[in-house]
Amino acid sequence: DMGGHDTYMHKEITEQVDSVDRVLRGRIDDRFSTVHLGGLNLDAREARAVRRVKILGCGTSYHAGLIGAQMIEELARIPADAEPASEFRYRNPVVDPHTLYIAVSQSGETYDALAAVQELKRKGARVLGVVNVVGSAIARETDGGVYVHAGPEVCVVSTKCFTNTVVAFALLALHLGRIRDLSVADGKRIIAGLRKLPEQIAEILRDEEHIAKLAAEYANAKSMMFIGRVRGYPAALEASLKLKEISYIHAEAYPASELKHGPLALIEPAMPTVAIVPDDDLLEKNRAALEEIKARSGRILAVAHREQEKADHTIVVPKNEDELDPILMGIPLQLLAYHTALALGRDIDKPRNLAKSVTVE
Ligand code: F6R
Protein backbone atom coordinates (compact mmCIF):
# COMPACT_ATOMS: atom_id res chain seq x y z
CA ASP A 1 0.00 0.00 0.00
CA MET A 2 1.53 3.28 -1.11
CA GLY A 3 -0.73 5.37 1.09
CA GLY A 4 -1.50 7.97 -1.57
CA HIS A 5 2.05 8.22 -2.89
CA ASP A 6 2.92 7.42 -6.52
CA THR A 7 5.96 5.39 -5.57
CA TYR A 8 7.25 3.53 -2.54
CA MET A 9 10.38 5.64 -2.72
CA HIS A 10 8.38 8.80 -2.17
CA LYS A 11 6.39 7.19 0.61
CA GLU A 12 9.57 6.01 2.30
CA ILE A 13 11.32 9.38 2.02
CA THR A 14 8.38 11.14 3.62
CA GLU A 15 8.08 8.50 6.36
CA GLN A 16 11.41 9.55 7.83
CA VAL A 17 9.93 11.89 10.43
CA ASP A 18 8.34 8.84 12.08
CA SER A 19 11.01 6.29 11.32
CA VAL A 20 13.75 8.41 12.90
CA ASP A 21 11.57 8.80 15.94
CA ARG A 22 11.36 4.99 16.13
CA VAL A 23 15.12 4.41 16.22
CA LEU A 24 15.39 6.89 19.12
CA ARG A 25 12.36 5.75 21.07
CA GLY A 26 13.01 4.22 24.49
CA ARG A 27 16.78 4.41 24.09
CA ILE A 28 17.73 7.80 25.53
CA ASP A 29 18.90 7.88 29.14
CA ASP A 30 18.81 11.48 30.41
CA ARG A 31 20.09 10.55 33.86
CA PHE A 32 23.49 9.49 32.54
CA SER A 33 23.36 11.48 29.27
CA THR A 34 23.74 8.31 27.25
CA VAL A 35 21.63 5.72 25.44
CA HIS A 36 20.63 2.15 26.17
CA LEU A 37 21.05 -0.37 23.40
CA GLY A 38 19.45 -3.52 24.72
CA GLY A 39 20.74 -6.02 22.20
CA LEU A 40 24.33 -4.87 22.02
CA ASN A 41 25.68 -7.67 24.19
CA LEU A 42 28.86 -5.72 24.96
CA ASP A 43 29.40 -4.75 28.59
CA ALA A 44 31.22 -1.63 29.74
CA ARG A 45 34.47 -3.47 30.37
CA GLU A 46 34.41 -5.00 26.91
CA ALA A 47 33.50 -1.64 25.35
CA ARG A 48 36.50 -0.03 27.04
CA ALA A 49 38.81 -2.73 25.73
CA VAL A 50 37.94 -2.04 22.08
CA ARG A 51 40.95 -0.55 20.30
CA ARG A 52 39.55 -0.27 16.82
CA VAL A 53 36.21 -0.45 15.02
CA LYS A 54 35.82 -1.87 11.54
CA ILE A 55 32.48 -1.44 9.78
CA LEU A 56 31.46 -3.61 6.83
CA GLY A 57 28.54 -3.28 4.44
CA CYS A 58 27.59 -2.95 0.78
CA GLY A 59 26.24 -0.06 -1.27
CA THR A 60 24.17 2.35 0.78
CA SER A 61 24.87 0.39 3.96
CA TYR A 62 28.60 0.87 3.35
CA HIS A 63 28.02 4.61 3.00
CA ALA A 64 26.07 4.66 6.27
CA GLY A 65 29.03 2.80 7.78
CA LEU A 66 31.45 5.48 6.59
CA ILE A 67 29.43 8.08 8.49
CA GLY A 68 29.19 5.73 11.47
CA ALA A 69 32.97 5.34 11.54
CA GLN A 70 33.43 9.11 11.66
CA MET A 71 30.88 9.40 14.47
CA ILE A 72 32.60 6.68 16.50
CA GLU A 73 35.99 8.36 16.04
CA GLU A 74 34.63 11.77 16.96
CA LEU A 75 32.47 10.84 19.92
CA ALA A 76 34.21 7.77 21.32
CA ARG A 77 37.75 8.54 20.08
CA ILE A 78 38.23 4.97 18.88
CA PRO A 79 39.98 4.65 15.51
CA ALA A 80 37.27 3.47 13.12
CA ASP A 81 36.84 2.90 9.44
CA ALA A 82 34.43 1.30 7.00
CA GLU A 83 35.09 -0.92 4.01
CA PRO A 84 32.87 -2.64 1.45
CA ALA A 85 32.15 -6.08 2.90
CA SER A 86 33.12 -7.87 -0.30
CA GLU A 87 36.51 -6.16 -0.53
CA PHE A 88 37.20 -7.08 3.06
CA ARG A 89 36.31 -10.66 2.56
CA TYR A 90 38.40 -11.21 -0.56
CA ARG A 91 41.62 -9.68 0.71
CA ASN A 92 42.39 -12.17 3.48
CA PRO A 93 42.18 -9.48 6.19
CA VAL A 94 44.11 -9.54 9.43
CA VAL A 95 41.48 -10.28 12.05
CA ASP A 96 42.45 -8.58 15.28
CA PRO A 97 41.06 -9.59 18.69
CA HIS A 98 40.91 -5.98 19.95
CA THR A 99 38.86 -4.79 16.98
CA LEU A 100 35.10 -4.60 17.18
CA TYR A 101 33.59 -5.55 13.81
CA ILE A 102 30.20 -4.21 12.79
CA ALA A 103 28.20 -5.53 9.83
CA VAL A 104 25.60 -3.15 8.38
CA SER A 105 22.66 -4.32 6.31
CA GLN A 106 19.09 -3.26 5.65
CA SER A 107 17.92 -6.70 4.58
CA GLY A 108 20.30 -8.65 6.79
CA GLU A 109 20.61 -11.09 3.87
CA THR A 110 23.23 -9.52 1.60
CA TYR A 111 25.54 -12.38 0.79
CA ASP A 112 28.83 -10.46 0.81
CA ALA A 113 28.08 -8.97 4.21
CA LEU A 114 26.91 -12.30 5.61
CA ALA A 115 30.00 -14.07 4.30
CA ALA A 116 32.21 -11.43 5.93
CA VAL A 117 30.41 -12.04 9.25
CA GLN A 118 30.87 -15.81 8.93
CA GLU A 119 34.55 -15.46 8.13
CA LEU A 120 35.04 -13.15 11.12
CA LYS A 121 33.13 -15.47 13.45
CA ARG A 122 35.17 -18.43 12.28
CA LYS A 123 38.32 -16.52 13.25
CA GLY A 124 36.94 -15.72 16.70
CA ALA A 125 36.18 -12.02 16.22
CA ARG A 126 33.46 -10.10 18.05
CA VAL A 127 30.90 -9.02 15.42
CA LEU A 128 27.89 -6.78 15.93
CA GLY A 129 25.12 -6.06 13.46
CA VAL A 130 23.38 -2.82 12.56
CA VAL A 131 20.43 -4.31 10.76
CA ASN A 132 16.87 -3.41 9.79
CA VAL A 133 15.12 -6.74 9.25
CA VAL A 134 14.52 -8.44 12.59
CA GLY A 135 15.64 -12.08 12.70
CA SER A 136 17.47 -11.88 9.35
CA ALA A 137 20.57 -13.96 8.70
CA ILE A 138 23.05 -11.24 9.72
CA ALA A 139 21.00 -10.43 12.82
CA ARG A 140 21.12 -14.11 13.79
CA GLU A 141 24.80 -14.70 13.09
CA THR A 142 26.20 -11.65 14.87
CA ASP A 143 26.94 -11.56 18.62
CA GLY A 144 24.57 -8.67 19.18
CA GLY A 145 23.76 -5.32 17.67
CA VAL A 146 21.37 -2.48 17.09
CA TYR A 147 18.14 -2.78 15.16
CA VAL A 148 17.51 0.35 13.13
CA HIS A 149 13.69 0.08 13.17
CA ALA A 150 13.15 1.79 9.84
CA GLY A 151 10.16 -0.44 9.13
CA PRO A 152 9.68 -2.32 5.86
CA GLU A 153 11.47 -0.74 2.90
CA VAL A 154 9.88 -1.77 -0.40
CA CYS A 155 11.57 0.48 -2.95
CA VAL A 156 14.70 -1.16 -4.33
CA VAL A 157 16.83 1.83 -3.38
CA SER A 158 17.33 2.55 0.26
CA THR A 159 16.29 5.88 1.80
CA LYS A 160 14.68 5.76 5.22
CA CYS A 161 16.83 2.82 6.22
CA PHE A 162 19.98 4.75 5.34
CA THR A 163 18.91 7.61 7.59
CA ASN A 164 17.93 5.31 10.45
CA THR A 165 21.18 3.39 10.15
CA VAL A 166 23.15 6.61 10.48
CA VAL A 167 21.08 7.57 13.54
CA ALA A 168 21.69 4.10 15.00
CA PHE A 169 25.43 4.73 14.57
CA ALA A 170 25.07 8.07 16.34
CA LEU A 171 23.47 6.20 19.25
CA LEU A 172 26.23 3.61 19.28
CA ALA A 173 28.92 6.31 19.10
CA LEU A 174 27.29 8.18 21.98
CA HIS A 175 27.03 4.98 24.02
CA LEU A 176 30.68 4.06 23.43
CA GLY A 177 31.73 7.67 24.01
CA ARG A 178 29.98 7.90 27.37
CA ILE A 179 31.62 4.68 28.52
CA ARG A 180 34.97 6.19 27.54
CA ASP A 181 35.86 9.90 27.51
CA LEU A 182 32.84 11.80 26.22
CA SER A 183 31.73 14.34 28.85
CA VAL A 184 28.26 14.64 30.33
CA ALA A 185 27.97 18.06 28.68
CA ASP A 186 28.77 16.59 25.26
CA GLY A 187 26.41 13.70 25.92
CA LYS A 188 23.62 16.17 26.66
CA ARG A 189 24.48 18.21 23.59
CA ILE A 190 24.26 15.14 21.31
CA ILE A 191 21.01 13.97 22.92
CA ALA A 192 19.46 17.41 22.40
CA GLY A 193 20.58 17.23 18.76
CA LEU A 194 19.07 13.77 18.30
CA ARG A 195 15.75 14.96 19.72
CA LYS A 196 15.61 17.77 17.16
CA LEU A 197 15.92 15.41 14.19
CA PRO A 198 12.25 14.55 13.51
CA GLU A 199 11.17 18.19 13.40
CA GLN A 200 14.17 19.13 11.25
CA ILE A 201 13.37 16.32 8.82
CA ALA A 202 9.81 17.65 8.60
CA GLU A 203 11.30 21.04 7.75
CA ILE A 204 13.38 19.55 4.91
CA LEU A 205 10.34 17.73 3.53
CA ARG A 206 8.43 21.04 3.42
CA ASP A 207 11.08 22.24 0.92
CA GLU A 208 10.22 19.46 -1.54
CA GLU A 209 8.65 21.69 -4.19
CA HIS A 210 11.78 23.83 -4.37
CA ILE A 211 13.98 20.72 -4.62
CA ALA A 212 11.73 19.32 -7.38
CA LYS A 213 12.20 22.54 -9.38
CA LEU A 214 15.95 22.34 -9.01
CA ALA A 215 15.91 18.68 -10.04
CA ALA A 216 14.08 19.58 -13.24
CA GLU A 217 16.68 22.24 -13.93
CA TYR A 218 19.62 19.82 -13.58
CA ALA A 219 17.96 16.75 -15.12
CA ASN A 220 19.49 17.47 -18.54
CA ALA A 221 23.00 16.91 -17.16
CA LYS A 222 25.13 14.29 -18.92
CA SER A 223 26.94 13.62 -15.72
CA MET A 224 27.09 15.09 -12.24
CA MET A 225 29.86 15.65 -9.72
CA PHE A 226 29.18 15.33 -5.99
CA ILE A 227 31.69 16.78 -3.57
CA GLY A 228 32.03 16.99 0.19
CA ARG A 229 34.75 17.08 2.78
CA VAL A 230 35.12 14.79 5.81
CA ARG A 231 31.54 14.70 7.16
CA GLY A 232 30.18 15.71 3.78
CA TYR A 233 32.06 13.11 1.75
CA PRO A 234 30.02 9.97 2.57
CA ALA A 235 26.89 12.05 1.93
CA ALA A 236 28.34 12.86 -1.51
CA LEU A 237 29.00 9.18 -2.20
CA GLU A 238 25.48 8.23 -1.19
CA ALA A 239 23.84 11.02 -3.20
CA SER A 240 25.86 10.02 -6.25
CA LEU A 241 24.82 6.37 -5.88
CA LYS A 242 21.14 7.28 -5.46
CA LEU A 243 21.20 9.47 -8.58
CA LYS A 244 22.89 6.76 -10.67
CA GLU A 245 20.53 4.03 -9.48
CA ILE A 246 17.24 5.69 -10.29
CA SER A 247 17.92 8.39 -12.91
CA TYR A 248 20.72 6.55 -14.82
CA ILE A 249 22.65 9.81 -14.97
CA HIS A 250 26.33 9.15 -14.54
CA ALA A 251 27.69 10.64 -11.35
CA GLU A 252 31.01 10.84 -9.55
CA ALA A 253 31.66 11.55 -5.89
CA TYR A 254 34.93 13.05 -4.72
CA PRO A 255 36.30 14.59 -1.58
CA ALA A 256 36.31 18.34 -2.32
CA SER A 257 40.03 18.41 -1.62
CA GLU A 258 40.72 15.86 -4.39
CA LEU A 259 39.19 18.00 -7.14
CA LYS A 260 42.46 19.69 -7.96
CA HIS A 261 44.21 16.32 -8.21
CA GLY A 262 42.35 15.34 -11.37
CA PRO A 263 38.58 15.56 -11.60
CA LEU A 264 38.67 19.33 -12.09
CA ALA A 265 39.43 18.46 -15.72
CA LEU A 266 35.83 17.25 -16.07
CA ILE A 267 34.24 20.50 -14.94
CA GLU A 268 32.28 22.28 -17.68
CA PRO A 269 28.68 23.53 -17.98
CA ALA A 270 27.38 20.06 -18.95
CA MET A 271 28.71 18.58 -15.71
CA PRO A 272 27.13 20.36 -12.76
CA THR A 273 28.43 19.91 -9.24
CA VAL A 274 26.39 19.21 -6.15
CA ALA A 275 28.44 20.53 -3.25
CA ILE A 276 27.78 19.59 0.35
CA VAL A 277 28.76 22.59 2.42
CA PRO A 278 27.98 22.30 6.13
CA ASP A 279 28.53 25.23 8.49
CA ASP A 280 31.41 23.63 10.33
CA ASP A 281 35.11 24.38 10.67
CA LEU A 282 35.68 23.41 7.03
CA LEU A 283 33.26 25.97 5.62
CA GLU A 284 35.95 28.29 4.25
CA LYS A 285 37.79 25.40 2.62
CA ASN A 286 34.57 24.29 0.97
CA ARG A 287 33.87 27.79 -0.27
CA ALA A 288 37.29 27.83 -1.92
CA ALA A 289 36.35 24.66 -3.82
CA LEU A 290 33.19 26.36 -5.07
CA GLU A 291 35.34 29.20 -6.40
CA GLU A 292 37.57 26.77 -8.26
CA ILE A 293 34.53 25.25 -9.94
CA LYS A 294 33.00 28.62 -10.81
CA ALA A 295 36.31 29.69 -12.38
CA ARG A 296 35.88 26.71 -14.80
CA SER A 297 32.29 27.76 -15.59
CA GLY A 298 30.80 24.83 -13.69
CA ARG A 299 27.22 25.05 -12.43
CA ILE A 300 26.87 24.51 -8.69
CA LEU A 301 23.99 23.34 -6.55
CA ALA A 302 24.93 23.65 -2.89
CA VAL A 303 23.39 21.74 -0.01
CA ALA A 304 24.26 23.93 2.94
CA HIS A 305 23.12 25.46 6.20
CA ARG A 306 22.72 28.86 4.55
CA GLU A 307 22.65 30.37 1.06
CA GLN A 308 26.00 30.06 -0.72
CA GLU A 309 26.77 33.09 -2.92
CA LYS A 310 29.26 31.15 -5.02
CA ALA A 311 26.63 28.54 -5.91
CA ASP A 312 23.98 28.93 -8.59
CA HIS A 313 21.39 27.44 -6.25
CA THR A 314 21.30 26.39 -2.61
CA ILE A 315 19.16 23.89 -0.77
CA VAL A 316 19.19 25.09 2.83
CA VAL A 317 19.18 22.32 5.45
CA PRO A 318 18.56 22.95 9.17
CA LYS A 319 21.71 22.96 11.31
CA ASN A 320 22.18 20.39 14.04
CA GLU A 321 25.27 19.54 16.08
CA ASP A 322 28.30 19.26 13.75
CA GLU A 323 28.65 15.51 14.42
CA LEU A 324 25.00 14.88 13.47
CA ASP A 325 24.91 17.04 10.33
CA PRO A 326 25.46 14.09 7.95
CA ILE A 327 22.10 12.65 9.03
CA LEU A 328 20.14 15.55 7.60
CA MET A 329 22.35 16.34 4.58
CA GLY A 330 21.28 13.07 2.96
CA ILE A 331 17.56 13.77 2.92
CA PRO A 332 17.32 16.64 0.39
CA LEU A 333 19.70 14.61 -1.79
CA GLN A 334 17.26 11.68 -1.75
CA LEU A 335 14.56 14.08 -2.92
CA LEU A 336 16.87 15.49 -5.58
CA ALA A 337 17.56 12.02 -7.00
CA TYR A 338 13.87 11.15 -6.79
CA HIS A 339 12.67 14.24 -8.66
CA THR A 340 15.43 13.94 -11.25
CA ALA A 341 14.32 10.38 -12.00
CA LEU A 342 10.69 11.49 -12.04
CA ALA A 343 11.47 14.29 -14.51
CA LEU A 344 13.16 11.70 -16.75
CA GLY A 345 10.23 9.28 -16.50
CA ARG A 346 12.20 6.44 -14.90
CA ASP A 347 10.76 3.38 -13.15
CA ILE A 348 11.75 4.65 -9.71
CA ASP A 349 10.79 1.74 -7.47
CA LYS A 350 12.33 -0.87 -9.76
CA PRO A 351 15.42 0.51 -11.45
CA ARG A 352 16.81 -1.60 -14.27
CA ASN A 353 19.32 -4.34 -13.41
CA LEU A 354 18.89 -3.99 -9.63
CA ALA A 355 17.32 -6.18 -6.93
CA LYS A 356 16.37 -5.24 -3.39
CA SER A 357 18.62 -7.72 -1.75
CA VAL A 358 21.65 -9.29 -3.33
CA THR A 359 21.82 -12.78 -1.90
CA VAL A 360 24.30 -14.07 -4.46
CA GLU A 361 28.04 -13.66 -4.68
C1 F6R B 1 21.19 1.37 -2.66
C2 F6R B 1 20.87 -0.03 -2.39
C3 F6R B 1 21.99 -1.03 -2.34
C4 F6R B 1 21.98 -1.71 -0.98
C5 F6R B 1 23.02 -2.83 -0.89
C6 F6R B 1 23.10 -3.43 0.50
O1 F6R B 1 20.08 2.18 -2.71
O2 F6R B 1 19.74 -0.34 -2.17
O3 F6R B 1 23.23 -0.43 -2.59
O4 F6R B 1 22.23 -0.73 -0.01
O5 F6R B 1 22.73 -3.83 -1.82
O6 F6R B 1 21.87 -3.96 0.91
P1 F6R B 1 21.58 -4.31 2.41
O7 F6R B 1 21.64 -3.02 3.19
O8 F6R B 1 20.25 -4.96 2.45
O9 F6R B 1 22.68 -5.23 2.87
Side-chain angles (χ1 to χ4, degrees), residues 178-223:
R178 289 286 299 124
I179 288 173
R180 297 164 73 111
D181 296 322
L182 191 74
S183 70
V184 170
D186 277 330
K188 280 197 179 14
R189 180 175 65 77
I190 296 298
I191 287 173
L194 290 168
R195 286 204 166 107
K196 274 196 242 164
L197 289 172
E199 176 44 39
Q200 290 183 318
I201 293 171
E203 194 180 326
I204 294 170
L205 297 178
R206 286 195 287 274
D207 199 26
E208 180 170 356
E209 222 174 291
H210 171 228
I211 297 171
K213 263 193 215 129
L214 292 176
E217 206 157 311
Y218 287 84
N220 63 351
K222 265 200 321 218
S223 178

Side-chain angles (χ1 to χ4, degrees), residues 237-254:
L237 284 169
E238 173 56 12
S240 156
L241 175 63
K242 214 95 298 174
L243 186 77
K244 286 191 268 263
E245 289 181 299
I246 59 169
S247 76
Y248 316 145
I249 294 177
H250 169 256
E252 298 256 3
Y254 267 95

